[in-house]
Amino acid sequence: MATSDTLDATFAALADPTRRAILARLAAGDATVTELAAPFAMSQPAVSKHLRVLERAGLVSRSRDAQRRPCRLVAEPLRTATDWLADYRDYWETSYQRLDALLDDLQDGGA
């Protein structure tokens, strides 16, 4: 998947609070659909739909362990999104530094 496609899929998946909560739970360790559905007031099929979105975004993988099909967090797409956002963080830091300098100039001139 191209970087732009990866970012689009990642941000679309992260747009939903239920999917973010699922990822937060998986950050603590693998879990089954039943375990992931427990804290939500929704059916297992509804949670499975959220998992499919996360899988398509590459954020979750599923494996087979006997009868269990545990889900696992795949963090690499989050790194790609974080790297993309870092450029904007640098932009805002530069903007804040300019604002700080302007405020310092105004305070020096007003003293």
Side-chain angles (χ1 to χ4, degrees):
M1 204 182 315
T3 301
S4 179
D5 292 341
T6 300
L7 285 172
D8 291 348
T10 300
F11 286 123
L14 294 174
D16 185 275
T18 300
R19 291 192 288 267
R20 291 192 305 269
I22 289 170
L23 290 177
R25 166 54 187 88
L26 291 175
D30 297 358
T32 64
V33 175
T34 303
E35 293 166 339
L36 292 170
F40 301 107
M42 65 177 66
S43 66
Q44 284 185 9
V47 171
S48 290
K49 286 182 181 181
H50 284 292
L51 285 169
R52 279 194 294 279
V53 171
L54 292 167
E55 281 182 290
R56 281 194 303 271
L59 292 164
V60 169
S61 67
R62 293 193 210 197
S63 60
R64 188 172 296 277
D65 178 22
Q67 297 294 349
R68 291 179 35 132
R69 291 204 55 199
C71 300
R72 169 174 288 140
L73 173 67
V74 179
E76 188 57 35
L78 294 174
R79 179 186 314 272
T80 302
T82 300
D83 291 346
W84 184 82
L85 288 169
D87 292 337
Y88 292 94
R89 181 178 48 225
D90 294 343
Y91 167 80
W92 285 110
E93 283 180 19
T94 301
S95 296
Y96 288 135
Q97 289 170 358
R98 285 194 309 259
L99 181 58
D100 285 342
L102 176 62
L103 290 173
D104 287 344
D105 286 347
L106 289 173
Q107 288 174 344
D108 290 343

